Amino acid sequence: MIRPDRPDRPDGTDRPRRTRAPFAALRIVLPAMIVLLGGDPDPSVSPPRSIKDVHAGAMPSDWFLRQRAWPHEEISQTARLAAAEQARGLRALARQRSTAGFWDPVGPTNIGGRIADVACHPTDPNTIYVGAAEGGVFKTTDAGATWIPTFDDESSLSIGSVAIDPTNPEVLYVGTGEANGGGGSVTYGGTGVFKSTNGGATWKNVGLAETRYIGRVVVDPSSPNRVFVAALGAMFSTGPDRGVYRSTDAGVSWERVLASNDSTGAIDLAIHPSDSNRVYAAMWERTRGPDYLNYGGDGSGIWRTTDGGDTWTELTNGLPSGPDVGRIGISLADSSPDILYAIYADASPGEFDGVYKTTDGGSSWIRTNDGALSGVYATYGWWFGNIRVDPVNPNRVFVLGLTFYRSTNGGSSWAQTGSSMHVDHHGLDFTPGSTAIWEGNDGGMYRSTNGGTIWTHFANMPVTQFYIIEVDEQIPYRRYGGTQDNGTNRTRTGAPDDWENLFWGDGFHCLVDPTNNNYIYVESQWGNLQRSTNGGSSFSWIGGDLSGRKNWSMPVVMDPSNPQTLYAGTHRLYRTTNRGSSWTAISGDLTDGPGSGNVTYGTITTIAVASTDGDVLLAGTDDGNVHVTTNGGGVWTRVDATLPERWITRVVVDPLDDAVNYVTISGFRWDDPLPHVFRSTNHGASWTDISSNLPEAPVNDLVVDPQDTDVLYVGTDFGAYRTTNGGASWASLGLGLPNVVVNDLELHNGTRTLTAGTYGRSLWTYDLTFDPTDAGEVIVDVLPPEAAPRLLPIRPNPVIGGRATVRFALSHPADVSVRVYDVTGRRVADLARGRFSAGTHALGWDGRDLGGTRVASGLYLVRLEGDGVARVRKVALRQ
């Protein structure tokens, strides 16, 4: 994650005005979310003023969220929920079609990604739940040997908190909306609280959708129908949907029981294990705009109730107070519940401001001997903010920051530990009755079994957040991608668990020369462009000539007909004809101008070069401009007059006709319908909306199929879709892909494989040659995708004189059979038949038939049947 400058606000700008609210409970009742398919947003909700009006030129600086809100200050939650329901409907239609193929997860599993929360089962040491920042909820029942996603079809995969009912562990609550207030890598807000009564097999939304970001959910251990939620509220606007909420009927209804002002929410909670009327809440005042960040204020502080939330008292004796108090984390020692620890960050820039301890239930506090922790937050404590105390040893305490610290003497001293782990720590929990400690950070999941000294990384969780991906044209199983906080990575073999890091930072655009894959281009944030001439063994900077404003993800593309020619965009377009050794500007400023203050705005976001004529170029910008040139940059024409004023996510040129162009946009509707895909047949002189029945959600990429240019593929914030009629109608593409943001698509035409780069669930591939009807695939019963058996990719494939490993995954125990057929439908081999436990299972096939004779080389079909569902995969055998 980049650490940009973070001034409170531009000089001379006052703190946003706050409206004080009483602390009395405000009763609200929110039934399960109901959004009609395709329904219009609430007409009584007006769109916020345009950022252009409010900030007079100050434009988005938060890359992920701001492009989706622009030109407004906030995303319409109603519109987002409506789009989610539209997507759900299209996925349901895909499940009903027996011709729908399956997406294959291809990793990485060993790189990891941001984990927001961890929850351990109260009685089963092998069962753990993990909430990923934008990847949903994962469950293991074998202590991390395998992880099953359980939340893939819900309206938000951004997770803030996971809570288990300690009296009935089958009951779970998930608070959606990651509460860490990040920079360009901040994710979507959530869509409320979800509840499961069957260990995560199915979920129901139980309200609080407008709270957006949830820092903690806790279940009363004595009266489990009473549930508390720490809600932060919207990040870029003020409002009442924040504070501590309580349900006394297990989520049927909610009441707000602690509120401060319209910019202060709750970020953390702790509950007394035996006197559950005693609850502690950490409140956090935070406001953020396109040109300022204010992560603290008078509203920040710790509050206590002794009557189950009816009344609250602020705890101030020995604790920081005032306008400079930022994010606070709190933890209670279950074995000595009068002992609590609290960690503080200051308001700006977010530096460490102390660990405090109470031994009398919060009535008085003292600062621990925390000098060793002075740099634990660097300057962005709002990104971390958690402290955890061992439930059986009140003297063993862990601080989760940029780095990871432990005290074994109640805060008298602190020492860094876990140096082998990835930085940026967010979640930690303890396995009851065990020595195991589970920790989640920006690099995934770790476990310690010796008190936190030695940690083991789990290289089997596909939660990497990809910005941009690439496929090697010559060796298509070599996949590349730029990721959030985990750099640019690749696999040389196509395996999901052997990805390697090529370059540091947040990784963005990466290119591999299709004619000579020794030339590799990678980029980290703000246009740090590097080139390798030796297949990735080393890199050198080639961006010295690229002056001007650069996007968080500066676009770089290769001329499809001449790989020595590349284009890069700042606020103007640059060209190199010598692989980046030098660059020349071929345009003026193609934007409406810069932002102000610390805002980097007015930048090119996307570039396209025609395959049929390298002089035809398109460029799109973050302020809604689209320009085209047909003479290599000699003359540029602006062609966006009839397009919506939205962030341009992709410009595309038809591979067979350079006059046919496409534009995709980000954003959600506020009042009028908002199409997201447009087509021109005259170099942009006019545009036609071809969005048709696509969900009204951001479209991040578009690929034209060179075999049939009426076939288009798009990656959206709610999955991937395909049209076979030029956009007259769209269908959800395939089955098995989570309801996740698809940031990038790559089509390798030689193998007819489409690869999707997701923001939170790693990479997936889709075989466009596979017709499941020919393979005999049948969907007998429609199950939620997370509940249905999965037949995983067969390795190796092809099998050359060896043995194929056939793996399948079950979310629950089931009777299954696994058989091998030839392409005529004749049964060749039986690999398994019987009842299998939940988890991942591996079988082997040595290429022999039912009689033990080696079969001929060729194509075979492996078929799994179970739970009324059949799954088929191809395997090529070379004997």
Side-chain angles (χ1 to χ4, degrees), residues 10 16 139 255 377 386 532-533 542 549 580 623 704 770 786 793:
K139 177 183 181 179
E255 58 181 335
Y377 278 176
N386 282 311
S532 173
T533 61
I542 58 168
R549 300 183 301 275
D623 52 7
V704 182
F770 182 34
E786 63 272 13

Side-chain angles (χ1 to χ4, degrees), residues 68-370:
R68 288 157 172 81
W70 193 82
H72 304 299
E73 292 184 288
E74 190 60 85
I75 293 171
S76 166
Q77 186 76 325
T78 307
R80 183 179 162 213
L81 292 174
E85 285 300 306
Q86 290 175 309
R88 186 191 295 268
L90 289 173
R91 290 196 303 275
L93 290 175
R95 292 190 199 113
Q96 295 171 16
R97 292 193 300 269
S98 63
T99 55
F102 284 87
W103 287 90
D104 293 331
V106 294
T109 60
N110 61 308
I111 296 299
R114 194 158 75 249
I115 301 300
D117 199 21
V118 184
C120 294
H121 193 287
T123 58
D124 181 359
N126 293 317
T127 298
I128 298 93
Y129 296 87
V130 170
E134 192 65 44
V137 178
F138 284 78
K139 177 183 181 179
T140 179
T141 57
D142 50 20
T146 58
W147 298 89
I148 302 296
T150 71
F151 207 72
D152 281 3
D153 203 38
E154 303 309 324
S155 56
S156 174
L157 269 62
S158 174
I159 307 301
S161 178
V162 181
I164 305 174
D165 182 340
T167 66
N168 180 6
E170 289 293 293
V171 176
L172 310 171
Y173 294 88
V174 165
T176 58
E178 182 198 13
N180 300 311
S185 55
V186 69
T187 63
Y188 265 131
T191 55
V193 178
F194 290 75
K195 180 181 179 180
S196 175
T197 58
N198 51 16
T202 59
W203 297 87
K204 179 182 179 180
N205 186 290
V206 293
L208 300 184
E210 291 297 331
T211 60
R212 306 291 181 96
Y213 298 93
I214 292 176
R216 194 74 59 212
V217 180
V218 296
V219 181
D220 187 327
S222 302
S223 178
N225 283 337
R226 188 161 66 179
V227 184
F228 294 89
V229 171
L232 270 178
M235 181 180 296
F236 291 93
S237 62
T238 59
D241 299 298
R242 62 195 74 217
V244 176
Y245 290 80
R246 178 183 65 188
S247 175
T248 57
D249 49 21
V252 175
S253 61
W254 300 90
E255 58 181 335
R256 188 172 65 163
V257 294
L258 178 59
S260 176
N261 58 54
D262 63 4
S263 55
T264 298
I267 182 62
D268 209 355
L269 294 166
I271 190 167
H272 196 288
S274 57
D275 179 8
S276 56
N277 283 323
R278 187 180 293 267
V279 184
Y280 301 83
M283 304 292 281
W284 182 22
E285 180 171 333
R286 59 108 164 90
T287 55
R288 190 166 188 162
D291 55 353
Y292 69 89
L293 181 156
N294 183 29
Y295 275 172
D298 295 321
S300 299
I302 296 177
W303 294 74
R304 178 182 65 193
T305 178
T306 58
D307 54 16
D310 292 336
T311 60
W312 296 79
T313 302
E314 185 173 12
L315 306 179
T316 59
N317 185 5
L319 292 174
S321 62
D324 294 328
V325 177
R327 181 171 176 172
I328 304 167
I330 190 168
S331 186
L332 181 148
D334 284 350
S335 59
S336 299
D338 282 338
I339 297 177
L340 292 92
Y341 296 86
I343 188 167
Y344 278 69
D346 67 15
S348 180
E351 294 176 340
F352 174 72
D353 201 23
V355 169
Y356 295 81
K357 178 180 180 180
T358 177
T359 58
D360 56 12
S363 297
S364 62
W365 300 74
I366 59 169
R367 184 165 180 172
T368 66
N369 183 29
D370 56 23

